[in-house]
Amino acid sequence: MKGWMGKFKVLSLFGLVALFLSACGKENLTALDPKGYGSDKSMDLIILPTVIMSFVLVIVMVLLVLALVKFRKKKGREDYIPKQVEGNKTLETVWTIIPILLLIIIAVPTVIYEFDLADDASASDHLNINVTGNQYWWHFDYEGLDIQTSQDVYIPVNSKVYFNMKSSDVIHSFWVPTLSGKLDVNPENENTFYIDAYEEGVYWGKCAEFCGPSHSLMDFKVVVVSQEEFEQWVADMQNFDPETAEPASDAAAQGRELFQQNNCIGCHAIGSSPAAVGPNLTNFGDRTKLAGVEEMTKEKLIEWIVNPELIKPGNKMTGAYPEVSKEDAALIAEYLLQLKPSEITIESAGGLK
């Protein structure tokens, strides 16, 4: 008995810990607090089967308890065998049809919502953003606006925004749980869905498909702002010219020279450049996260420039350029951190929750 009770206590403890940890997370990285049309529909699809399966569970448990009580072994009836029901066509028909009906009830709205969210019939009337998934970062190209960003994507509130997604390497999955469901990002074909955010704010996005050693670090942000702020951000980004923008300090000026001398510009565009193979750095100074996951500090940025493998294993930047000293990396970091073309930023949108 003592051994059995010990195991029971251990299992109970693990159960309580699991229940406690299930409540941990980020407020804006959850599908249970919908802030967009897609996540609203996803929540409906969470509630519907939960209610149905809860009802089924109650019925099954009631029948089980009744069977255990009614047909339990009783004194004087040790040899009693209840009436067997195998082969009863009525019962077998009932418990075959009921699960089918329940599956239909769940499947019909699921299919309707999937077609609804993938409907791009009105895409030409709304903002379109071409998304490219890369190991291990995201690139966003605003159709018709001559604007490109990486890691952070800005969209207006209460407006359909169509995301046309494709991968440059392996399969990824684009997921902003608080705003919408997830969609695979494939190398072979383009997938499209839209996000219609209800509230302004900054929302976390994740890659939801294992894509390599730094898959868990492939984060991004969706910054939802008012229509007026979005228009201002678009104007600021379009008017930003890296060639004429004056560095904020002598160190930043030296950093710009080193940025060009080390051919960083060969992979990273500042401004709009579809030829760039690395993340766009136009509004790099406005980001609150380095490489999508680390706190944006000058020290961390220097560490990233010197050895990016320490932060994101398997990234394609490692070994792609000559060795950079910490002193030169500090100057380059000074230049990158002053790239702030707009006053519309993550901080002005409410910051990360």
Side-chain angles (χ1 to χ4, degrees):
M1 178 63 72
K2 184 178 179 181
W4 181 85
M5 283 300 295
K7 292 179 181 178
F8 176 77
K9 290 178 180 178
V10 171
L11 289 174
S12 299
L13 178 61
F14 274 114
L16 288 173
V17 170
L19 181 63
F20 175 77
L21 291 177
S22 68
C24 298
K26 299 181 184 298
E27 182 183 348
N28 56 356
L29 188 57
T30 174
L32 303 180
D33 184 23
K35 301 290 189 198
Y37 179 78
S39 56
D40 219 1
K41 297 306 177 185
S42 297
M43 189 64 181
D44 291 344
L45 295 178
I46 291 173
I47 293 173
L48 178 63
T50 300
V51 170
I52 291 175
M53 293 304 107
S54 297
F55 176 74
V56 171
L57 176 64
V58 169
I59 296 299
V60 170
M61 292 306 296
V62 168
L63 292 175
L64 177 61
V65 171
L66 287 175
L68 289 173
V69 172
K70 184 175 181 179
F71 301 111
R72 70 187 187 280
K73 188 175 181 180
K74 299 177 183 177
K75 188 175 181 180
R77 301 182 65 188
E78 289 82 359
D79 298 329
Y80 171 73
I81 298 177
K83 180 181 177 181
Q84 303 301 294
V85 296
E86 70 269 13
N88 187 310
K89 293 182 180 179
T90 301
L91 283 177
E92 292 187 0
T93 300
V94 169
W95 60 49
T96 299
I97 291 177
I98 289 178
I100 292 175
L101 293 176
L102 294 178
L103 287 174
I104 291 174
I105 292 172
I106 295 173
V108 169
T110 301
V111 173
I112 291 174
Y113 290 164
E114 283 193 3
F115 276 94
D116 180 18
L117 293 171
D119 182 15
D120 59 354
S122 63
S124 59
D125 300 326
H126 296 88
L127 174 65
N128 279 253
I129 300 176
N130 297 321
V131 180
T132 305
N134 308 274
Q135 292 175 308
Y136 301 92
W137 57 280
W138 298 90
H139 182 69
F140 305 99
D141 187 354
Y142 290 72
E143 266 189 24
L145 296 180
D146 196 30
I147 294 175
Q148 296 179 6
T149 65
S150 298
Q151 299 302 91
D152 300 341
V153 57
Y154 289 70
I155 65 173
V157 71
N158 294 319
S159 178
K160 280 186 178 180
V161 179
Y162 284 83
F163 290 82
N164 311 305
M165 294 178 280
K166 199 167 184 179
S167 170
S168 67
D169 36 55
V170 300
I171 297 175
H172 302 284
S173 185
F174 189 89
W175 189 33
V176 192
T178 312
L179 296 180
S180 192
K182 64 184 73 169
L183 189 66
D184 279 354
V185 184
N186 303 314
E188 298 87 4
N189 61 285
E190 183 177 272
N191 288 335
T192 297
F193 80 152
Y194 67 85
I195 289 178
D196 186 353
Y198 295 156
E199 297 181 15
E200 296 177 30
V202 183
Y203 303 94
W204 286 80
K206 303 284 289 185
C207 175
E209 181 79 29
F210 180 73
C211 55
S214 286
H215 156 70
S216 63
L217 305 177
M218 194 171 167
D219 294 5
F220 63 98
K221 313 292 177 295
V222 178
V223 186
V224 182
V225 297
S226 67
Q227 185 64 44
E228 294 75 17
E229 288 177 317
F230 179 73
E231 291 172 2
Q232 180 62 53
W233 179 82
V234 168
D236 292 340
M237 292 290 286
Q238 290 176 333
N239 294 329
F240 179 71
D241 185 353
E243 297 299 325
T244 59
E246 287 295 325
S249 64
D250 290 339
Q254 295 177 53
R256 181 168 70 175
E257 292 180 8
L258 289 169
F259 185 83
Q260 295 169 344
Q261 289 173 12
N262 285 280
N263 200 32
C264 303
I265 200 69
C267 292
H268 298 283
I270 299 176
S272 180
S273 174
V277 296
N280 188 286
L281 304 179
T282 305
N283 60 343
F284 184 85
D286 291 333
R287 298 180 194 170
T288 58
K289 293 290 183 179
L290 172 64
V293 290
E294 289 282 357
E295 291 298 323
M296 180 65 80
T297 65
K298 185 176 179 180
E299 293 70 26
K300 275 293 180 183
L301 180 53
I302 293 171
E303 182 182 333
W304 168 261
I305 295 171
V306 172
N307 188 2
E309 195 70 15
L310 290 175
I311 296 177
K312 265 192 176 178
N315 75 87
K316 295 179 181 178
M317 185 171 164
T318 300
Y321 54 92
E323 184 176 338
V324 179
S325 67
K326 282 192 175 182
E327 292 74 20
D328 286 351
L331 295 172
I332 295 173
E334 190 73 28
Y335 168 60
L336 294 177
L337 290 172
Q338 58 108 56
L339 294 174
K340 299 181 178 183
S342 178
E343 294 182 357
I344 310 302
T345 66
I346 286 178
E347 297 299 336
S348 70
L352 293 176
K353 299 177 183 177

